[in-house]
Amino acid sequence: MLTTVPQQDVEGVRPEIAASWARSRLSGLRADSPPLLERDPVGGTALARAAAPVLRWMSAELEGASFGLVLADRDARVVDVAATDPAIGDAMHQLGFRPGVRMGEDVIGTNAIGTPLETRQEVLIRGPEHFLTALRGFTCYGHPIFHPGTRRLAGVLDIGGPATGDHRSLRPLARRMVHDIEERLLRDVSRNQDRLLHAFQTAARRRGRPVMVVGQGLVLATPAALDLLDPTDHAAVRTCAEQTAVATVRLTLASGRDVVLECTPVADADGVRVDIVPDHGGRATEPRAAARLPLLVVGEPGSGRTTAARKAAGPEARTLDAAEIVRVGERSWANALSAALDGQGPTLIVENVQLLSEQLTTLLAGYLRADHRDLVLTVTPGDHLSGTHAALASLCGSRRDLLPLRRRRHEIPHLAQRMLAGVDGADRLRLTSDTLRVLAAQPWPGNLAELDRVVRALARARSAGDLIPADLPMAYRGGPAPGSPLRQAEREVIVAAIEAAGGNKQRAARALGVSRSTLYNRMRALRIS
């Protein structure tokens, strides 16, 4: 890792473990915290089918030894569990290792499932190296599993035993099992595509029915779907299929038509069938049309709070931003609030009320109780809405929660197209379907504001023609950025160093104070192309 960790973590601890501990703390975990595990259903995926006979065979081979075997998917959810003796099985069950339970680093800290998924590298974690005290009775070896057909991360195999045992066999056993699982995944590709094709043919028997089937390396669409969707719509539908299990999603097409995407997993295959049906008046019943003032608009930074507030308040509304308190002081800001609210006048928008002190919160709550002026408040989500600013939330007549961009990825292709259309001189530019899919895969912590900045940077990349993934700023190419703040910071440091070196990796490595091989290893782990 190129980021630093506290000295007390480094002494006597391997760098990869120290870095994992730092990520665990950034997720808000404490060593003595009990695991807070949630369980979701897991279906019969290609990974589960490929690994099941390997796990059964290895369990039989190791019968009588003290080993536990855990298979998890790329989201760190446990898919299968096996134990070579009852005592190990009972201990794993008590710790929560059951199908459907998520074991990511952000949930239980350093462990042989979440850590290999985070670093995309195999790792041995000795008993005391686990972040949670509850896991320190085990020594485990985690090995990532990559699909040999797509080279995408498919999951991880975790093999472990008591911390006091002999661990020399963990690495060769895990590598042998992962090799067998990856071979079975490759053999399963043709069968998977046959199942997807059969599902598509069955769904397409009704003429004129817009249907798509989306799977790994395969996209099938009926003529009706091709007629209905333009390239932007295709990217939105594929993103929806890849991000959604069983779900119904509303979408406005590029043509302006409202449709409902009914996404259903294809049985015994890694793919989703998407039925595209008209949305008959679904949007007319949205609660935002009936919002009452005072209104509380809740959303992350960049999620469109100001736009939503202005739309609700009307064109004559005035705005007072709590962010100005730092510049003008509490007394001046309080006087401005009183002047704006005394007497009659247009609706007042108060932005960023999460920045208000208890005294200013009390002052604003008094005006809300008086109810003689229309108010719209904007605020970030968080515990403060049930603590410091609970009074403001309870006094508002209605509330509108804005979803972050990462939870509505299927809207990103159309949003990006609209943003590009609004850039001066960009009328001769076109976002390709691949570029739209890459954009939809990003985490977008800055939400709409961040997407708008990236689209504007794209528009500067060329004057006409197709905008391809290589035109994106380097930090947004390829797969999504890593999830933890520490890994995102490391990624940004590396990307900035490479850009400052004009793309020369050797110069960038010297500037960062690491070897070129270390830089390349970190680039692979952080998915920097």
Side-chain angles (χ1 to χ4, degrees):
M1 293 286 290
L2 299 174
T3 48
T4 59
V5 293
Q7 185 63 31
Q8 62 267 29
D9 291 344
V10 177
E11 294 176 358
V13 178
R14 291 178 289 153
E16 60 268 34
I17 301 301
S20 177
W21 286 355
R23 291 193 297 268
S24 302
R25 290 194 184 95
L26 283 172
S27 298
L29 298 176
R30 292 172 46 191
D32 57 354
S33 302
L36 299 176
L37 303 175
E38 296 182 357
R39 192 174 184 181
D40 296 318
V42 287
T45 62
L47 176 64
R49 292 192 300 271
V54 179
L55 291 175
R56 286 197 302 270
W57 169 76
M58 187 58 75
S59 297
E61 285 282 309
L62 299 174
E63 186 176 3
S66 295
F67 286 111
L69 308 170
V70 183
L71 177 75
D73 64 17
R74 63 186 178 188
D75 296 319
R77 290 182 307 169
V78 175
V79 174
D80 203 351
V81 181
T84 57
D85 76 66
I88 286 286
D90 289 344
M92 293 171 64
H93 186 81
Q94 290 175 8
L95 288 170
F97 284 84
R98 306 171 195 174
V101 172
R102 188 169 174 276
M103 295 288 183
E105 254 192 1
D106 59 327
V107 178
I108 61 170
T110 306
N111 73 95
I113 294 175
T115 302
L117 289 175
E118 188 76 15
T119 63
R120 281 169 161 66
Q121 295 177 345
E122 55 191 298
V123 62
L124 173 70
I125 300 177
R126 303 181 182 92
E129 293 176 331
H130 285 92
F131 185 78
L132 293 191
T133 306
L135 300 178
R136 293 178 183 172
F138 288 88
T139 288
C140 305
Y141 184 83
H143 197 300
I145 302 168
F146 292 92
H147 195 293
T150 63
R151 297 313 304 163
R152 292 181 178 177
L153 183 65
V156 66
L157 177 72
D158 171 11
I159 180 169
T164 55
D166 184 356
H167 312 122
R168 288 174 294 180
S169 61
L170 294 182
R171 178 180 279 108
L173 284 174
R175 287 180 172 177
R176 180 180 175 187
M177 293 178 67
V178 168
H179 178 268
D180 291 346
I181 292 169
E182 289 180 345
E183 279 198 341
R184 288 176 176 274
L185 280 171
L186 187 59
R187 291 200 297 269
D188 192 57
V189 169
S190 59
R191 291 193 297 269
N192 186 69
Q193 291 187 345
D194 287 343
R195 295 185 186 103
L196 294 177
L197 181 59
H198 176 72
F200 175 72
Q201 291 171 336
T202 301
R205 283 173 185 162
R206 287 174 52 187
R207 292 184 179 274
R209 184 178 183 181
V211 177
M212 291 180 67
V213 169
V214 180
Q216 288 189 353
L218 184 69
V219 178
L220 302 168
T222 62
L226 292 173
D227 290 340
L228 182 64
L229 308 174
D230 82 347
T232 308
D233 299 325
H234 278 280
V237 172
R238 291 181 65 177
T239 299
C240 178
E242 291 167 358
Q243 298 291 330
T244 310
V246 182
T248 299
V249 177
R250 285 187 168 86
L251 181 69
T252 300
L253 303 179
S255 63
R257 295 180 61 178
D258 290 335
V259 297
V260 174
L261 308 180
E262 298 176 349
C263 303
T264 309
V266 177
D268 298 322
D270 282 349
V272 176
R273 189 190 76 218
V274 184
D275 293 277
I276 308 168
V277 299
D279 182 8
H280 296 297
R283 293 182 177 272
T285 60
E286 287 186 348
R288 67 180 60 187
R292 294 180 293 110
L293 300 183
L295 168 67
L296 184 69
V297 180
V298 184
E300 295 180 0
S303 59
R305 289 176 312 194
T306 298
T307 300
R310 288 175 180 167
K311 191 175 294 185
E316 304 298 324
R318 294 182 56 192
T319 298
L320 192 61
D321 194 339
E324 288 291 301
I325 295 172
V326 175
R327 185 176 64 85
V328 303
E330 284 203 5
R331 182 182 295 276
S332 295
W333 196 89
N335 291 337
L337 176 67
S338 300
L341 288 174
D342 285 338
Q344 298 299 312
T347 300
L348 178 67
I349 300 171
V350 182
E351 294 258 39
N352 295 306
V353 298
Q354 75 276 0
L355 302 177
L356 297 180
S357 64
E358 288 189 24
Q359 292 82 357
L360 289 177
T361 298
T362 302
L363 176 65
L364 181 56
Y367 282 106
L368 283 167
R369 290 189 184 93
D371 197 26
H372 59 82
R373 284 286 300 282
D374 287 335
L375 280 163
V376 177
L377 313 181
T378 73
V379 66
T380 56
D383 293 340
H384 62 94
L385 288 176
S386 56
T388 306
H389 303 105
L392 301 180
S394 64
L395 289 168
C396 286
S398 56
R399 170 172 169 164
R400 183 175 304 161
D401 288 270
L402 305 178
L403 288 177
L405 205 52
R406 63 183 174 276
R407 290 182 56 192
R408 45 193 180 108
R409 296 184 187 276
H410 59 282
E411 296 181 21
I412 291 175
H414 290 118
L415 288 169
Q417 286 283 32
R418 287 203 295 270
M419 289 174 179
L420 181 64
V423 177
D424 290 339
D427 52 307
R428 298 172 61 195
L429 293 171
R430 188 182 77 91
L431 291 163
T432 66
S433 182
D434 284 343
T435 304
L436 291 169
R437 291 186 64 209
V438 171
L439 288 173
Q442 304 302 317
W444 301 115
N447 292 292
L448 293 168
E450 183 183 3
L451 176 61
D452 185 65
R453 287 196 300 272
V454 172
V455 169
R456 290 182 181 277
L458 258 179
R460 295 192 294 269
R462 59 181 69 227
S463 58
D466 288 346
L467 294 168
I468 61 176
D471 293 323
L472 287 163
M474 187 177 292
Y476 295 89
R477 298 175 192 170
S484 74
L486 192 65
R487 282 169 63 81
Q488 287 186 22
E490 182 186 9
R491 194 177 201 272
E492 291 170 4
V493 168
I494 292 175
V495 167
I498 293 172
E499 290 180 342
N504 187 308
K505 308 296 192 304
Q506 189 165 358
R507 280 168 48 199
R510 281 201 303 268
L512 291 167
V514 299
S515 68
R516 188 168 61 174
S517 61
T518 297
L519 176 61
Y520 277 112
N521 287 338
R522 296 312 303 152
M523 288 176 64
R524 282 193 295 272
L526 297 166
R527 304 189 296 288
I528 300 172
S529 57

